[in-house]
Amino acid sequence: MTTIRTPAKIIPRAFPGIKPDEVQEIIVNSRIATYPPDTVICRENEIEYVFYMILEGDFEVTKVINNSETRLLKSLTAGDFFGEMALIHNAPRAATVKSKTNVIVLEIDKDGFNRVLKHSPSVAMAMVHEISRRLRQNDQMAIEDLRMRASELADAYQKLAEQDLVRREFLSNVAHELRTPLMVASGYLHAIQKGMFAGEQLTATIDTISRNVDQITTLANDLLFMQEIELVLPEFQPVNIIEVVNEVVKKYEEKAKARQVTIKVKGDRGISKVRGDAQSLERAVTALVDNAIKFSAQNGEVEIRYSEEGTRVRVSIEDHGIGISPEIRPRIFDRFFHVDKNGDQLYSGLGIGLSITRQVIQQHQGMLEVESEVGKGSKFTISLLRWR
């Protein structure tokens, strides 16, 4: 460690080959100053005409890149100098210099700096070398930033392309999901208008039309709910999650029966109420039960189980169907991602159910876990805060 009594030993480290009289020229035109740690000596873009030479301590030099990222350019220590660029070019500070430790510096104002350059060829030559080096460094940093921006633009373009593809696939899926029930309902309505059905046949036809209209209504409601869930935060109340699940099971009895799937509900019926919004939670459970039935094999079984652990109530929905491959598991909660085929089996849907479920559970400060093995089924578990 040096001391403030030895600037004559530090100056030659900054300017190799400097003559004794040139050292004296610097000392005569400078003043000694001390600063504590975390002192900003120079601030980027500010106007200030002082040249600094470090006698003791350490500094860090930083620069703001793209108005957001603060980048460390380098560290300085005894024998280094800074501030010459602003004096030579009459420009604002190009970077911020802050002390990391207690520091001692020689400070030279603009007039003194000009006198030193005029009378000291060694200092002037050192300045030329240093400025050239820093210009090269700035060029390299500019090139690096351009490369980074180019990479970010390429990534952004790729994401936009992927989003556009998802959008087009989504619109195609929406059209497909709406077309089938609309065509069925429309066809039967035209047949009724022409008097083609009567008696029990008419009643069955009206039931078919009703189911297809319900399917269209459910799809429209899901799309609206998905858009509104992030905008409207419901006021949470104590919710009987068992009643919510029972309502969903009742709604899906016919669909499960049509696929020859059995739904079994197990667990302690006396578990606590949860903190939440009943309507939103019903949508979340609906999506999981719908998926479980859809991806179960015929004569399969969907098991819904309740449990209570500490401050949380857990509801799991498990099927023994096709399972989820590890490759697509990270994407299953993405909007509009859906499995449309498994072997020869085709699956309908827009891929918004699990996305809705995740949003609802996040809104409730809950947790959503998934366990799955290909060919053996999947288990989704919702964990919700108990009402207190």
Side-chain angles (χ1 to χ4, degrees), residues 38-307:
D38 296 320
T39 301
V40 175
I41 308 298
C42 299
R43 193 178 298 277
E44 185 176 356
N45 294 324
E46 288 192 357
I47 305 294
E48 185 252 357
Y49 299 114
V50 178
F51 171 72
Y52 301 89
M53 180 178 298
I54 305 171
L55 299 180
E56 283 190 8
D58 301 308
F59 289 85
E60 63 179 15
V61 183
T62 60
K63 185 173 181 63
V64 176
I65 307 297
N66 297 318
N67 298 319
S68 59
E69 176 192 352
T70 299
R71 183 178 300 180
L72 176 65
L73 300 182
K74 59 182 174 180
S75 297
L76 302 176
T77 190
D80 292 323
F81 58 84
F82 58 92
E84 74 289 345
M85 297 286 282
L87 274 67
I88 293 173
H89 294 290
N90 292 314
R93 295 297 188 186
T96 296
V97 183
K98 184 172 71 172
S99 61
K100 295 168 62 178
T101 63
N102 290 307
V103 295
I104 303 172
V105 294
L106 281 179
E107 299 181 349
I108 307 177
D109 60 23
K110 185 173 179 59
D111 290 338
F113 183 75
N114 289 336
R115 286 193 295 270
V116 169
L117 289 184
K118 182 177 180 180
H119 299 121
S120 177
S122 298
V123 174
M125 186 58 68
M127 290 296 170
V128 170
H129 287 310
E130 181 63 17
I131 290 171
S132 297
R133 186 187 68 80
R134 293 188 185 182
L135 287 175
R136 287 195 302 271
Q137 184 183 55
N138 289 342
D139 287 344
Q140 299 237 347
M141 188 166 63
I143 292 172
E144 181 185 346
D145 288 335
L146 285 173
R147 285 175 179 162
M148 186 183 301
R149 297 287 80 79
S151 176
E152 290 175 352
L153 284 172
D155 290 343
Y157 178 81
Q158 179 65 27
K159 288 178 181 178
L160 284 174
E162 291 173 357
Q163 289 172 0
D164 184 60
L165 178 61
V166 169
R167 179 186 61 82
R168 285 188 277 112
E169 288 181 348
F170 169 65
L171 292 176
S172 176
N173 290 337
V174 168
H176 175 75
E177 291 294 319
L178 289 174
R179 184 187 297 117
T180 300
L182 279 172
M183 289 179 64
V184 171
S186 177
Y188 278 120
L189 283 172
H190 286 305
I192 291 173
Q193 287 175 334
K194 294 178 180 179
M196 297 173 64
F197 299 107
E200 293 183 0
Q201 194 177 32
L202 176 60
T203 301
T205 300
I206 292 174
D207 287 342
T208 300
I209 293 171
S210 178
R211 284 198 305 273
N212 281 275
V213 171
D214 287 344
Q215 185 177 342
I216 296 168
T217 303
T218 298
L219 175 60
N221 286 338
D222 283 346
L223 290 172
L224 290 172
F225 182 79
M226 184 177 63
Q227 295 301 316
E228 295 172 356
I229 187 173
E230 296 177 350
L231 303 177
V232 180
L233 184 64
E235 183 177 349
F236 290 154
Q237 301 290 336
V239 176
N240 187 327
I241 194 65
I242 295 179
E243 291 181 0
V244 169
V245 171
N246 287 341
E247 188 65 29
V248 174
V249 171
K250 181 179 178 181
K251 184 168 59 176
Y252 273 86
E253 281 178 347
E254 286 190 19
K255 183 173 182 178
K257 186 177 180 180
R259 286 190 55 85
Q260 299 177 13
V261 173
T262 303
I263 302 177
K264 293 185 177 180
V265 181
K266 301 178 180 180
D268 181 7
R269 297 302 178 106
I271 61 173
S272 303
K273 293 184 177 182
V274 300
R275 175 179 174 273
D277 173 69
Q279 183 181 8
S280 298
L281 290 173
E282 183 176 333
R283 285 186 179 274
V285 174
T286 294
L288 295 179
V289 172
D290 182 72
N291 265 19
I293 295 172
K294 180 193 300 184
F295 296 113
S296 289
Q298 286 190 343
N299 301 314
E301 179 180 289
V302 172
E303 182 179 296
I304 304 174
R305 184 179 293 274
Y306 319 108
S307 64

Side-chain angles (χ1 to χ4, degrees), residues 339-360:
V339 176
D340 54 7
K341 186 176 181 181
N342 181 60
D344 295 329
Q345 179 70 51
L346 298 177
Y347 300 100
S348 61
L350 291 178
I352 60 177
L354 289 182
S355 176
I356 288 175
T357 299
R358 180 177 64 176
Q359 286 180 270
V360 168

